[in-house]
Coordinates of all heavy atoms in Angstrom, one line a residue:
M1335 N 53.1 -108.8 8.6 CA 54.0 -107.7 8.6 C 54.7 -107.7 7.3 O 55.1 -108.7 6.7 CB 55.0 -108.0 9.7 CG 54.7 -107.1 10.9 SD 56.0 -107.4 12.2 CE 55.6 -109.0 12.7
E1336 N 55.0 -106.5 6.8 CA 55.7 -106.3 5.6 C 57.1 -106.8 5.7 O 57.9 -106.5 6.6 CB 55.7 -104.8 5.3 CG 56.4 -104.5 3.9 CD 56.4 -103.0 3.7 OE1 55.5 -102.3 4.1 OE2 57.4 -102.6 3.1
S1337 N 57.5 -107.7 4.8 CA 58.8 -108.3 4.7 C 59.8 -107.2 4.3 O 59.6 -106.4 3.4 CB 58.8 -109.4 3.7 OG 60.1 -110.0 3.7
G1338 N 60.9 -107.2 5.0 CA 62.0 -106.3 4.7 C 61.9 -104.9 5.3 O 62.8 -104.0 5.0
S1339 N 60.8 -104.6 6.0 CA 60.7 -103.2 6.6 C 61.6 -103.1 7.9 O 62.0 -104.2 8.5 CB 59.3 -102.9 7.0 OG 58.9 -103.7 8.1
A1340 N 61.9 -101.9 8.2 CA 62.7 -101.7 9.5 C 61.9 -102.2 10.7 O 62.5 -102.8 11.6 CB 63.0 -100.2 9.6
F1341 N 60.6 -102.1 10.7 CA 59.7 -102.5 11.8 C 59.9 -104.1 11.9 O 60.1 -104.6 13.0 CB 58.3 -102.2 11.5 CG 57.3 -102.5 12.6 CD1 57.1 -101.6 13.6 CD2 56.6 -103.7 12.6 CE1 56.2 -101.9 14.7 CE2 55.7 -104.0 13.6 CZ 55.5 -103.1 14.7
T1342 N 59.8 -104.8 10.8 CA 59.9 -106.2 10.8 C 61.3 -106.6 11.3 O 61.4 -107.6 12.1 CB 59.6 -106.8 9.4 OG1 58.3 -106.5 9.0 CG2 59.7 -108.3 9.4
S1343 N 62.3 -106.0 10.8 CA 63.7 -106.3 11.2 C 63.9 -106.1 12.7 O 64.5 -106.9 13.4 CB 64.7 -105.4 10.4 OG 64.6 -105.7 9.1
L1344 N 63.4 -105.0 13.2 CA 63.5 -104.8 14.7 C 62.7 -105.8 15.5 O 63.2 -106.3 16.4 CB 63.0 -103.3 15.0 CG 63.1 -103.0 16.5 CD1 64.5 -103.1 17.1 CD2 62.6 -101.5 16.7
Y1345 N 61.5 -106.1 15.0 CA 60.7 -107.1 15.7 C 61.4 -108.5 15.7 O 61.5 -109.1 16.7 CB 59.3 -107.3 15.0 CG 58.5 -108.4 15.6 CD1 57.9 -108.3 16.8 CD2 58.4 -109.6 14.9 CE1 57.2 -109.4 17.4 CE2 57.6 -110.6 15.4 CZ 57.0 -110.5 16.6 OH 56.3 -111.6 17.2
N1346 N 62.0 -108.9 14.6 CA 62.7 -110.1 14.5 C 63.9 -110.2 15.4 O 64.2 -111.2 16.0 CB 63.1 -110.4 13.1 CG 62.0 -110.8 12.2 OD1 60.9 -111.2 12.6 ND2 62.1 -110.6 10.9
A1347 N 64.6 -109.0 15.6 CA 65.7 -108.9 16.5 C 65.2 -109.1 18.0 O 65.9 -109.7 18.8 CB 66.5 -107.6 16.3
I1348 N 64.1 -108.4 18.3 CA 63.6 -108.5 19.6 C 63.2 -109.9 20.0 O 63.5 -110.3 21.1 CB 62.4 -107.5 19.8 CG1 62.9 -106.0 19.7 CG2 61.6 -107.7 21.1 CD1 61.8 -105.0 19.6
V1349 N 62.5 -110.6 19.1 CA 62.0 -111.9 19.5 C 63.1 -112.9 19.6 O 62.9 -114.0 20.1 CB 60.8 -112.4 18.5 CG1 59.6 -111.5 18.7 CG2 61.3 -112.5 17.1
Q1350 N 64.3 -112.6 19.2 CA 65.4 -113.5 19.4 C 65.7 -113.5 20.9 O 66.2 -114.5 21.4 CB 66.6 -113.0 18.6 CG 66.5 -113.3 17.2 CD 67.8 -112.9 16.4 OE1 68.8 -112.8 17.0 NE2 67.6 -112.8 15.1
F1351 N 65.5 -112.4 21.6 CA 65.7 -112.3 23.0 C 64.5 -112.5 23.9 O 64.5 -112.9 25.0 CB 66.3 -110.9 23.4 CG 67.7 -110.7 22.7 CD1 67.8 -110.1 21.5 CD2 68.8 -111.3 23.3 CE1 69.0 -109.9 20.9 CE2 70.1 -111.1 22.7 CZ 70.2 -110.4 21.5
I1352 N 63.3 -112.1 23.4 CA 62.0 -112.3 24.1 C 61.1 -113.0 23.1 O 60.2 -112.4 22.4 CB 61.4 -111.0 24.5 CG1 62.4 -110.1 25.2 CG2 60.2 -111.2 25.4 CD1 62.0 -108.6 25.4
P1353 N 61.3 -114.4 22.9 CA 60.6 -115.1 21.9 C 59.1 -115.2 22.0 O 58.4 -115.5 21.0 CB 61.2 -116.5 21.9 CG 61.8 -116.6 23.3 CD 62.2 -115.2 23.7
D1354 N 58.5 -114.9 23.1 CA 57.1 -115.1 23.3 C 56.2 -113.9 23.0 O 55.0 -113.9 23.2 CB 56.8 -115.6 24.7 CG 57.4 -117.0 24.9 OD1 57.4 -117.8 24.0 OD2 57.8 -117.3 26.0
L1355 N 56.8 -112.8 22.5 CA 56.1 -111.6 22.1 C 55.4 -111.8 20.8 O 56.0 -112.2 19.8 CB 57.0 -110.4 22.0 CG 57.6 -109.9 23.3 CD1 58.4 -108.6 23.0 CD2 56.6 -109.7 24.4
K1356 N 54.1 -111.5 20.8 CA 53.3 -111.6 19.5 C 52.6 -110.3 19.3 O 52.0 -109.7 20.2 CB 52.3 -112.7 19.6 CG 52.8 -114.1 20.0 CD 53.6 -114.6 18.8 CE 54.1 -116.0 19.2 NZ 55.5 -116.2 18.9
I1357 N 52.8 -109.7 18.1 CA 52.1 -108.5 17.7 C 50.6 -108.8 17.5 O 50.3 -109.7 16.7 CB 52.7 -107.8 16.5 CG1 54.1 -107.4 16.9 CG2 51.9 -106.7 16.0 CD1 54.9 -106.7 15.7
E1358 N 49.8 -108.2 18.2 CA 48.3 -108.3 18.1 C 47.8 -107.3 17.1 O 46.9 -107.6 16.3 CB 47.6 -108.1 19.4 CG 47.9 -109.2 20.5 CD 47.3 -110.5 20.1 OE1 46.1 -110.6 19.8 OE2 48.1 -111.5 20.0
K1359 N 48.3 -106.1 17.1 CA 47.8 -105.0 16.2 C 48.8 -103.9 16.1 O 49.5 -103.6 17.0 CB 46.5 -104.5 16.8 CG 45.8 -103.5 15.9 CD 44.4 -103.1 16.4 CE 43.8 -102.1 15.5 NZ 42.4 -101.7 16.0
Y1360 N 48.9 -103.3 14.9 CA 49.7 -102.2 14.7 C 48.9 -101.2 13.8 O 48.2 -101.5 12.9 CB 51.0 -102.5 13.9 CG 51.7 -101.3 13.3 CD1 52.4 -100.5 14.1 CD2 51.5 -101.0 11.9 CE1 53.0 -99.3 13.5 CE2 52.1 -99.9 11.4 CZ 52.8 -99.1 12.2 OH 53.4 -97.9 11.6
T1361 N 48.9 -99.9 14.3 CA 48.2 -98.8 13.5 C 49.1 -97.6 13.4 O 50.0 -97.4 14.3 CB 46.9 -98.4 14.1 OG1 47.1 -97.9 15.4 CG2 45.9 -99.6 14.2
S1362 N 48.9 -96.8 12.4 CA 49.7 -95.6 12.2 C 48.7 -94.6 11.5 O 48.0 -95.0 10.6 CB 50.9 -95.8 11.4 OG 51.7 -94.7 11.4
Q1363 N 48.8 -93.3 11.9 CA 48.0 -92.3 11.3 C 48.7 -90.9 11.4 O 49.5 -90.7 12.3 CB 46.6 -92.2 11.9 CG 46.6 -91.8 13.4 CD 45.2 -91.8 14.0 OE1 44.3 -92.5 13.5 NE2 45.0 -91.1 15.0
S1364 N 48.3 -90.0 10.5 CA 48.8 -88.7 10.6 C 47.9 -87.9 11.6 O 46.7 -88.1 11.7 CB 48.6 -88.0 9.2 OG 49.5 -88.6 8.3
L1365 N 48.5 -87.0 12.3 CA 47.8 -86.2 13.3 C 47.2 -84.9 12.7 O 46.4 -84.3 13.4 CB 48.7 -85.9 14.5 CG 49.2 -87.1 15.3 CD1 50.2 -86.6 16.4 CD2 48.1 -87.9 15.9
S1366 N 47.6 -84.6 11.5 CA 47.1 -83.4 10.8 C 47.3 -83.6 9.3 O 47.8 -84.6 8.9 CB 47.7 -82.1 11.4 OG 49.1 -82.1 11.1
K1367 N 46.9 -82.6 8.6 CA 47.1 -82.6 7.1 C 48.5 -82.0 6.8 O 49.0 -81.2 7.5 CB 46.0 -81.8 6.4 CG 44.7 -82.4 6.6 CD 43.6 -81.5 5.8 CE 42.3 -82.1 6.0 NZ 41.2 -81.4 5.3
G1368 N 49.0 -82.5 5.6 CA 50.2 -81.9 5.1 C 51.5 -82.7 5.3 O 51.4 -83.7 6.1
V1369 N 52.5 -82.4 4.7 CA 53.8 -83.1 4.7 C 54.5 -82.9 6.1 O 55.4 -83.7 6.4 CB 54.7 -82.8 3.6 CG1 54.1 -83.2 2.2 CG2 55.1 -81.3 3.6
D1370 N 54.1 -81.9 6.8 CA 54.8 -81.7 8.1 C 54.0 -82.3 9.3 O 54.3 -82.0 10.4 CB 54.9 -80.1 8.4 CG 55.8 -79.5 7.4 OD1 56.6 -80.2 6.7 OD2 55.7 -78.2 7.3
S1371 N 53.1 -83.2 9.0 CA 52.3 -83.8 10.0 C 53.1 -84.8 10.8 O 53.9 -85.6 10.2 CB 51.1 -84.5 9.3 OG 50.3 -85.1 10.3
M1372 N 52.8 -84.9 12.1 CA 53.3 -85.9 12.9 C 52.6 -87.2 12.6 O 51.4 -87.2 12.4 CB 53.2 -85.6 14.4 CG 54.1 -84.4 14.9 SD 55.8 -84.8 14.9 CE 55.9 -85.9 16.3
S1373 N 53.3 -88.3 12.7 CA 52.7 -89.6 12.5 C 52.6 -90.2 13.9 O 53.6 -90.2 14.7 CB 53.6 -90.5 11.7 OG 53.1 -91.8 11.7
H1374 N 51.5 -90.8 14.2 CA 51.2 -91.4 15.5 C 51.0 -92.9 15.3 O 50.2 -93.3 14.5 CB 49.9 -90.8 16.1 CG 49.5 -91.5 17.4 ND1 50.0 -91.1 18.6 CD2 48.6 -92.5 17.7 CE1 49.4 -91.8 19.6 NE2 48.6 -92.7 19.0
S1375 N 51.9 -93.7 15.9 CA 51.8 -95.2 15.7 C 51.5 -95.9 17.0 O 52.0 -95.4 18.1 CB 53.2 -95.7 15.2 OG 53.4 -95.2 13.9
K1376 N 50.8 -97.0 17.0 CA 50.5 -97.8 18.1 C 50.7 -99.2 17.8 O 50.3 -99.7 16.8 CB 49.0 -97.6 18.5 CG 48.6 -98.3 19.8 CD 47.1 -98.3 20.1 CE 46.4 -97.1 19.9 NZ 45.0 -97.1 20.3
T1377 N 51.5 -99.9 18.7 CA 51.7 -101.3 18.6 C 51.2 -102.0 19.8 O 51.5 -101.6 21.0 CB 53.2 -101.6 18.4 OG1 53.7 -100.9 17.3 CG2 53.5 -103.1 18.2
I1378 N 50.4 -103.1 19.6 CA 49.9 -103.8 20.7 C 50.4 -105.2 20.7 O 50.4 -105.9 19.6 CB 48.3 -103.9 20.7 CG1 47.8 -102.5 20.7 CG2 47.8 -104.8 21.8 CD1 46.3 -102.4 20.5
I1379 N 51.0 -105.7 21.8 CA 51.6 -107.0 21.8 C 51.0 -107.8 23.0 O 50.4 -107.3 23.9 CB 53.1 -107.0 21.9 CG1 53.6 -106.4 23.2 CG2 53.8 -106.4 20.7 CD1 55.1 -106.5 23.5
K1380 N 51.2 -109.1 22.8 CA 50.7 -110.1 23.9 C 52.0 -110.9 24.3 O 52.7 -111.4 23.4 CB 49.6 -111.0 23.4 CG 49.0 -111.9 24.5 CD 48.0 -112.9 23.9 CE 46.8 -112.2 23.3 NZ 45.8 -113.2 22.9
D1381 N 52.2 -111.1 25.6 CA 53.3 -111.9 26.0 C 52.9 -113.3 26.3 O 51.8 -113.7 26.0 CB 54.0 -111.2 27.3 CG 53.1 -111.3 28.5 OD1 52.1 -111.9 28.5 OD2 53.6 -110.7 29.5
A1382 N 53.8 -114.1 26.8 CA 53.6 -115.5 27.0 C 52.4 -115.8 28.0 O 51.8 -116.8 27.9 CB 54.9 -116.2 27.5
N1383 N 52.2 -114.9 28.9 CA 51.2 -115.0 29.9 C 49.9 -114.4 29.4 O 48.9 -114.2 30.2 CB 51.6 -114.3 31.2 CG 52.8 -115.0 31.8 OD1 52.9 -116.2 31.8 ND2 53.7 -114.2 32.3
K1384 N 49.8 -114.1 28.1 CA 48.6 -113.5 27.5 C 48.3 -112.1 28.0 O 47.1 -111.6 27.9 CB 47.4 -114.4 27.6 CG 47.7 -115.8 27.1 CD 46.6 -116.3 26.2 CE 46.8 -117.8 25.8 NZ 47.8 -118.0 24.8
K1385 N 49.3 -111.4 28.6 CA 49.1 -110.0 29.1 C 49.3 -109.1 27.9 O 50.2 -109.3 27.1 CB 50.1 -109.7 30.2 CG 49.8 -108.4 30.8 CD 50.7 -108.2 32.1 CE 50.4 -106.8 32.6 NZ 51.2 -106.5 33.8
I1386 N 48.4 -108.1 27.8 CA 48.5 -107.1 26.6 C 49.2 -105.9 27.0 O 49.0 -105.3 28.1 CB 47.0 -106.8 26.2 CG1 46.3 -108.0 25.8 CG2 47.0 -105.7 25.1 CD1 46.7 -108.7 24.5
F1387 N 50.1 -105.4 26.1 CA 50.8 -104.1 26.3 C 50.6 -103.3 25.1 O 50.5 -103.8 24.0 CB 52.3 -104.4 26.5 CG 52.6 -105.2 27.7 CD1 52.7 -106.6 27.6 CD2 52.9 -104.6 28.9 CE1 53.0 -107.4 28.7 CE2 53.2 -105.4 30.0 CZ 53.2 -106.8 29.9
T1388 N 50.6 -102.0 25.3 CA 50.4 -101.0 24.2 C 51.5 -100.0 24.2 O 51.8 -99.4 25.2 CB 49.1 -100.2 24.3 OG1 48.0 -101.2 24.3 CG2 48.9 -99.3 23.2
G1389 N 52.2 -99.8 23.0 CA 53.3 -98.9 22.9 C 52.9 -97.8 21.9 O 52.2 -98.0 20.9
I1390 N 53.3 -96.6 22.2 CA 53.0 -95.4 21.3 C 54.3 -94.8 20.8 O 55.3 -94.7 21.6 CB 52.2 -94.3 22.2 CG1 50.9 -94.9 22.8 CG2 51.9 -93.1 21.3 CD1 49.9 -95.4 21.8
G1391 N 54.3 -94.3 19.6 CA 55.4 -93.6 19.0 C 54.9 -92.5 18.1 O 53.9 -92.6 17.5
E1392 N 55.6 -91.4 18.2 CA 55.3 -90.2 17.3 C 56.6 -89.7 16.7 O 57.6 -89.6 17.4 CB 54.6 -89.1 18.1 CG 53.2 -89.5 18.5 CD 52.5 -88.3 19.2 OE1 53.1 -87.3 19.4 OE2 51.3 -88.5 19.4
D1393 N 56.5 -89.3 15.4 CA 57.6 -88.8 14.7 C 57.1 -88.2 13.4 O 56.0 -88.5 13.0 CB 58.7 -89.8 14.5 CG 60.1 -89.2 14.1 OD1 60.3 -88.9 13.0 OD2 60.9 -89.1 15.1
L1394 N 57.9 -87.3 12.8 CA 57.6 -86.8 11.5 C 57.7 -87.9 10.4 O 57.0 -87.8 9.4 CB 58.5 -85.6 11.1 CG 58.2 -84.3 11.9 CD1 59.3 -83.3 11.6 CD2 56.8 -83.8 11.6
D1395 N 58.5 -88.9 10.7 CA 58.7 -90.0 9.8 C 57.8 -91.2 10.2 O 58.0 -91.6 11.4 CB 60.2 -90.4 9.8 CG 60.5 -91.5 8.8 OD1 59.8 -92.5 8.8 OD2 61.5 -91.3 8.0
I1396 N 57.0 -91.7 9.4 CA 56.0 -92.7 9.7 C 56.8 -94.0 10.2 O 56.3 -94.7 11.1 CB 55.0 -93.0 8.6 CG1 53.9 -93.9 9.1 CG2 55.7 -93.6 7.4 CD1 52.8 -94.1 8.1
E1397 N 57.9 -94.3 9.5 CA 58.6 -95.5 9.9 C 59.3 -95.4 11.3 O 59.3 -96.3 12.1 CB 59.6 -95.9 8.8 CG 60.2 -97.3 9.0 CD 60.8 -97.8 7.7 OE1 60.9 -97.1 6.7 OE2 61.2 -99.0 7.7
I1398 N 59.8 -94.2 11.5 CA 60.4 -93.9 12.8 C 59.4 -94.0 13.9 O 59.6 -94.6 15.0 CB 61.2 -92.6 12.9 CG1 62.3 -92.6 11.8 CG2 61.7 -92.3 14.3 CD1 63.4 -93.6 12.0
S1399 N 58.2 -93.5 13.7 CA 57.1 -93.5 14.7 C 56.7 -95.0 15.0 O 56.5 -95.3 16.1 CB 55.9 -92.7 14.3 OG 55.2 -93.3 13.3
A1400 N 56.7 -95.8 14.0 CA 56.4 -97.2 14.2 C 57.5 -97.9 15.0 O 57.2 -98.7 15.9 CB 56.3 -97.9 12.8
L1401 N 58.8 -97.6 14.7 CA 59.9 -98.2 15.5 C 59.8 -97.7 17.0 O 60.0 -98.5 17.9 CB 61.2 -97.8 14.9 CG 61.5 -98.3 13.5 CD1 62.8 -97.7 12.9 CD2 61.6 -99.8 13.5
K1402 N 59.5 -96.5 17.2 CA 59.3 -95.9 18.5 C 58.2 -96.7 19.3 O 58.4 -97.0 20.5 CB 59.1 -94.4 18.5 CG 60.3 -93.6 18.1 CD 60.0 -92.1 18.1 CE 61.2 -91.3 17.9 NZ 60.8 -89.8 17.9
S1403 N 57.1 -96.9 18.6 CA 56.0 -97.6 19.3 C 56.4 -99.1 19.6 O 56.0 -99.6 20.7 CB 54.8 -97.6 18.4 OG 54.8 -98.5 17.3
L1404 N 57.2 -99.7 18.8 CA 57.6 -101.1 19.1 C 58.6 -101.1 20.2 O 58.6 -102.0 21.1 CB 58.2 -101.7 17.8 CG 58.7 -103.2 17.9 CD1 57.6 -104.1 18.4 CD2 59.3 -103.6 16.6
I1405 N 59.5 -100.2 20.3 CA 60.5 -100.1 21.4 C 59.7 -99.8 22.7 O 60.0 -100.3 23.7 CB 61.5 -99.0 21.1 CG1 62.5 -99.4 19.9 CG2 62.4 -98.7 22.3 CD1 63.3 -98.4 19.3
D1406 N 58.8 -98.8 22.6 CA 58.0 -98.5 23.8 C 57.3 -99.7 24.4 O 57.3 -100.0 25.6 CB 57.0 -97.4 23.5 CG 56.2 -96.9 24.6 OD1 56.8 -96.7 25.7 OD2 55.0 -96.7 24.5
V1407 N 56.6 -100.5 23.5 CA 55.8 -101.6 24.0 C 56.7 -102.7 24.5 O 56.4 -103.4 25.5 CB 54.8 -102.1 22.9 CG1 55.5 -102.9 21.8 CG2 53.7 -102.9 23.5
T1408 N 57.9 -102.9 23.9 CA 58.8 -103.9 24.3 C 59.4 -103.5 25.7 O 59.5 -104.4 26.6 CB 60.0 -104.1 23.3 OG1 59.4 -104.4 22.1 CG2 61.0 -105.1 23.8
N1409 N 59.7 -102.3 25.9 CA 60.2 -101.8 27.2 C 59.1 -102.0 28.3 O 59.4 -102.5 29.4 CB 60.6 -100.3 27.2 CG 61.9 -100.1 26.5 OD1 62.7 -101.0 26.4 ND2 62.1 -98.9 26.0
Q1410 N 57.9 -101.8 28.0 CA 56.8 -102.0 29.0 C 56.7 -103.4 29.3 O 56.5 -103.8 30.5 CB 55.5 -101.5 28.4 CG 55.4 -100.0 28.3 CD 54.0 -99.6 27.7 OE1 53.0 -100.1 28.1 NE2 54.0 -98.6 26.8
C1411 N 56.8 -104.3 28.4 CA 56.6 -105.7 28.6 C 57.8 -106.3 29.4 O 57.7 -107.1 30.3 CB 56.5 -106.4 27.3 SG 56.3 -108.2 27.4
Y1412 N 59.0 -105.9 29.0 CA 60.2 -106.5 29.5 C 60.7 -105.9 30.8 O 61.2 -106.6 31.7 CB 61.4 -106.3 28.5 CG 62.6 -107.0 28.8 CD1 62.7 -108.4 28.8 CD2 63.8 -106.3 29.2 CE1 63.8 -109.1 29.1 CE2 64.9 -107.0 29.5 CZ 65.0 -108.3 29.5 OH 66.1 -109.0 29.8
I1413 N 60.4 -104.6 31.1 CA 60.9 -104.0 32.3 C 60.0 -104.2 33.5 O 58.9 -104.2 33.5 CB 61.2 -102.5 32.1 CG1 62.3 -102.4 31.1 CG2 61.5 -101.8 33.4 CD1 62.6 -101.0 30.7

């Protein structure tokens, strides 16, 4: 993970409360061409029981879509 990114900062904060979450994969892509394209991000995590969860986030800002996907996957795992 990129050091100093908002995604890494959020992940580090989350694992203080749920320490057994491990990111298996993260992807991000544009849904169309141009500067107005939505970014689609996917974060896959594994919990302590080796159960896999997938979170999805979309936003015009690639970093915000990544954060949304991390929040989505954490909610799925924790709730």
Side-chain angles (χ1 to χ4, degrees):
M1335 258 182 290
E1336 181 182 325
S1337 177
S1339 72
F1341 186 88
T1342 301
S1343 296
L1344 180 58
Y1345 174 74
N1346 290 337
I1348 290 168
V1349 295
Q1350 289 182 18
F1351 297 96
I1352 313 171
D1354 296 325
L1355 292 184
K1356 303 292 181 226
I1357 294 178
E1358 293 292 305
K1359 186 175 182 180
Y1360 163 77
T1361 60
S1362 187
Q1363 65 182 23
S1364 295
L1365 297 178
S1366 63
K1367 293 181 181 181
V1369 295
D1370 294 344
S1371 177
M1372 290 290 286
S1373 174
H1374 176 85
S1375 297
K1376 184 189 319 186
T1377 302
I1378 300 171
I1379 62 171
K1380 186 187 294 184
D1381 68 6
N1383 298 318
K1384 307 222 185 288
K1385 188 170 179 184
I1386 301 289
F1387 298 89
T1388 302
I1390 303 295
E1392 290 185 355
D1393 198 273
L1394 290 172
D1395 184 311
I1396 191 170
E1397 195 161 5
I1398 300 297
S1399 73
L1401 296 173
K1402 287 179 176 181
S1403 73
L1404 182 55
I1405 291 167
D1406 183 42
V1407 75
T1408 302
N1409 284 339
Q1410 289 181 43
C1411 178
Y1412 188 69
I1413 294 176

